[in-house]
Amino acid sequence: MRTKEMLNENLFFQEQMAHIRTTIELSGQRDTQAISVTSSLSSEGKSSIAIGIARSFAEAGKKVLLIDSDFRRPSVHKKLGLSNAVGFCDVLKEDYTLTECMKDIDVQGLDILTSGLVEDSPSILFDATTLKKFILEVKKEYDLVIIDTPPVLLVPEVKTILNHSDATLLVVKYDEVRKEEVERTYRVLNQVSATCLGIVFNRVKVKVKDRYRYYY
C-alpha cells in the first residue's frame, strides 16, 4: 500500500494539526528547528501527532525531516507502511549515511527516518556528542526536524534527546494519564532544560456541535 493512502486523511485531524503548526509558528521561540514530540507513557498517540505535524509543515512549504527515535517501541514505519531494515540507529552508528536510510513518501517536502533495527542497548546509541552532531547537521539541510521520542517516564535515554532539541511538545492522552504523571514529566523536562511549547491533549471526546472547542 502506498504511504499516502496510510496517512490520516480525516479532515478534522488535519485541521487540528494545522492549529498546532500555527501555534508553533506564532510561539515567538527563536531558532526552533528541532522539535521533540513526547509523552509521559506509551500509547498516548505521540507518533500519530508527530506524523501529523510533520505533514502539516511540509504541506505549508517547509522542508521537514521526521525521525523515529523510539528504539524500544518504534511505530512510525508501521503507521506509514515503510521498511525499517535500516534507519536512525544505523546513522548514529555510522554504518549507513542519512541518505541511504531516508524513506521517500508521497508528501512533497517530507522525508522520513525510521528507527532501524536496534540490536544494541538504546541507551548506548544515544551518546550526547554523537546526537548533538547529528542534529546540528540535519538542521542545515531541513527547515524543521520533528523527533518522535520515547516516553519520558519509561525510557532514560529520552533525556538526551530532549536536551538536544530546540523545543518539546508534550502529548497527553486525555482522561487516562494522571495529573501526577504529567507533573513528573514536566519536572524531567525542567531537569534537562527542555523548552516546552505546550501540551497537546489527544483523544478528547467532543460532541459534533462542540468540535471547534476541541484540542488544547
Side-chain angles (χ1 to χ4, degrees):
M1 182 180 289
R2 295 293 294 164
T3 302
K4 184 74 171 181
E5 298 171 2
M6 301 188 72
L7 289 166
N8 190 332
E9 299 295 349
N10 180 279
L11 181 59
F12 184 44
F13 176 81
Q14 292 184 44
E15 288 174 348
Q16 303 314 310
M17 297 302 101
H19 282 310
I20 296 173
R21 169 174 55 80
T22 302
T23 300
I24 293 172
E25 291 173 334
L26 298 177
S27 66
Q29 296 289 338
R30 294 184 177 181
D31 301 322
T32 303
Q33 273 185 272
I35 301 176
S36 286
V37 181
T38 195
S39 61
S40 300
L41 306 172
S42 59
S43 302
E44 292 195 62
K46 62 178 176 56
S47 297
S48 295
I49 298 297
I51 293 170
I53 295 172
R55 177 187 183 182
S56 184
F57 270 104
E59 291 180 340
K62 300 293 185 181
K63 186 178 180 183
V64 183
L65 174 63
L66 172 63
I67 303 172
D68 189 345
S69 69
D70 192 347
F71 288 168
R72 298 169 193 264
R73 293 187 62 182
S75 63
V76 169
H77 69 285
K78 296 177 183 177
K79 293 180 181 297
L80 297 179
L82 298 170
S83 167
N84 195 36
V86 294
F88 188 28
C89 68
D90 301 288
V91 177
L92 291 178
K93 291 188 293 183
E94 298 184 341
D95 290 342
Y96 290 85
T97 66
L98 177 62
T99 302
E100 291 173 325
C101 295
M102 202 75 71
K103 306 298 188 300
D104 180 31
I105 68 171
D106 296 335
V107 176
Q108 185 175 355
L110 177 58
D111 290 329
I112 309 294
L113 181 60
T114 62
S115 66
L117 301 176
V118 181
E119 299 177 352
D120 304 307
S121 170
S123 58
I124 295 176
L125 287 173
F126 283 112
D127 171 74
T129 302
T130 302
L131 184 62
K132 180 179 180 180
K133 179 182 177 182
F134 170 80
I135 291 178
L136 288 174
E137 288 177 351
V138 294
K139 284 167 65 174
K140 296 176 183 177
E141 302 295 326
Y142 291 88
D143 299 316
L144 197 69
V145 180
I146 303 293
I147 307 172
D148 177 17
T149 81
V152 172
L153 299 182
L154 301 181
V155 178
E157 60 265 18
V158 69
K159 295 179 181 180
T160 304
I161 304 170
L162 297 174
N163 180 255
H164 290 292
S165 301
D166 298 322
T168 300
L169 275 176
L170 176 60
V171 177
V172 175
K173 193 172 184 180
Y174 185 76
D175 236 11
E176 290 197 26
V177 178
R178 295 179 300 170
K179 177 183 176 182
E180 294 78 10
E181 291 166 331
V182 176
E183 290 175 342
R184 285 173 56 202
T185 299
Y186 250 93
R187 287 197 292 270
V188 173
L189 296 181
N190 288 330
Q191 288 171 4
V192 299
S193 301
T195 299
C196 187
L197 292 174
I199 296 177
V200 177
F201 286 107
N202 194 28
R203 306 291 177 86
V204 179
K205 296 180 180 179
V206 294
K207 297 179 182 179
V208 174
K209 66 178 182 179
D210 295 329
R211 63 177 303 192
Y212 291 107
R213 286 190 281 170
Y214 178 81
Y215 244 63
Y216 327 72

